[in-house]
Amino acid sequence: MPKIHTLIEEFLVALKHNAKMEPSFKGDANIIQIMLREPKYYNQLIKMNQIDKYCVFCNQTTINEGLVDESQHFRCLYNIRPVFPGHTLIIPKTHYSRFSLMPSEHATDFVNFTQLVTKALRSIYSTDSIEYLIQEGEHSGQSISHLHLHLMPRQLNDLPSDIDWMDYFANMEHKAKLLTVEERQQCAKKIKQEMIRIRSDNRKP
C-alpha cells in the first residue's frame, strides 16, 4: 500500500507541471479509486480541474447521458445497469467519496431531493417500496469513489425467496443489462416528467 500512495503522490506532483501527464497506473482501476477516495488526493485533482478525467460521476458526458434532474447540490442519474426498473442514483455535484464527508449545509437539500425522486419512482413503478443503498469505503463494495445513493423500486416477489438480497445486488450491479444512451434518456425523461408534476402539485394552493 505505501508504494501505491507513492505512485499517486508522484503523479499528482508531475500533473501540476504537465496537465496532459498520464499516470503510470492508468490501467489499474484499484489505484484510480484510491486516488478518488482520499480527500488529500482528489482535492488536488479538483484544484487542477482534472477530476472529470478520472471520476465517471464528475464527467459531463456521463452526466448528460443519464441525467434525470438536479437540485442545488445534487443530481439524479438513471443507472447504466439497472438492477431493477427505475434504478436511479443520487450523486453530489461536488466530488466527495463518503456520506460522512457531506457538508452539513447540504443535508436538507439531499433529503428533499431524495424524497422528490422517491415519490416519482413510487408513482411511475406503482410501488410503495424503495430500496436505498449507500456503500462507503472499499470493503463495503463501493466500486466508484464518488458518493452515490442507489434508489431501487421494489415489488412483491421480485427476487426468489432463496436468494440473499445483498448477494443478488453485488452480482447484478455489474452484470445487469447495459442500457444504451437512448434507453437511459427515455427512462430519465419519464421520471423527470413525474417530478415536474409533483412539484407543480405541491405549489398549488
Side-chain angles (χ1 to χ4, degrees), residues 90 109-119 132 149 151:
I90 305 291
D109 184 35
F110 177 74
V111 171
N112 290 341
F113 188 55
T114 300
Q115 287 179 336
L116 177 60
V117 176
T118 296
K119 291 175 182 177
Y132 300 99
L149 166 67
L151 286 79

Side-chain angles (χ1 to χ4, degrees), residues 7 12 55 65 81 97-98 119 121 130 138 155 169 181 195:
L7 286 173
L12 292 172
C55 175
E65 288 178 353
R81 291 186 185 270
S97 57
R98 299 174 180 273
K119 291 175 182 177
L121 293 176
I130 303 292
E138 176 185 5
Q155 306 286 347
F169 177 84
V181 173
M195 291 173 68

Side-chain angles (χ1 to χ4, degrees), residues 51-64:
I51 191 72
D52 62 315
K53 294 182 180 179
Y54 301 96
C55 175
V56 65
F57 288 156
C58 293
N59 183 277
Q60 196 60 50
T61 299
T62 301
I63 293 167
N64 292 341

Side-chain angles (χ1 to χ4, degrees), residues 86-132:
H87 184 173
T88 52
L89 306 168
I90 305 291
I91 65 170
K93 292 181 178 180
T94 301
H95 183 95
Y96 47 89
S97 57
R98 299 174 180 273
F99 178 77
S100 54
L101 292 173
M102 180 188 296
S104 58
E105 60 269 23
H106 294 183
T108 298
D109 184 35
F110 177 74
V111 171
N112 290 341
F113 188 55
T114 300
Q115 287 179 336
L116 177 60
V117 176
T118 296
K119 291 175 182 177
L121 293 176
R122 287 173 55 187
S123 174
I124 292 170
Y125 295 96
S126 301
T127 182
D128 66 353
S129 302
I130 303 292
E131 187 91 37
Y132 300 99

Side-chain angles (χ1 to χ4, degrees), residues 84 154-168:
F84 294 106
R154 299 294 305 273
Q155 306 286 347
L156 181 65
N157 298 323
D158 59 6
L159 285 180
S161 59
D162 60 342
I163 293 181
D164 177 78
W165 154 240
M166 283 307 301
D167 288 343
Y168 180 81

Side-chain angles (χ1 to χ4, degrees), residues 5 24 33 54 58 70 80 156 184 189 193-194 201-202 205:
H5 288 280
S24 60
Q33 292 308 314
Y54 301 96
C58 293
E70 57 188 347
I80 194 169
L156 181 65
R184 290 181 76 196
K189 182 179 179 180
Q193 288 174 338
E194 184 61 15
D201 287 349
N202 289 341

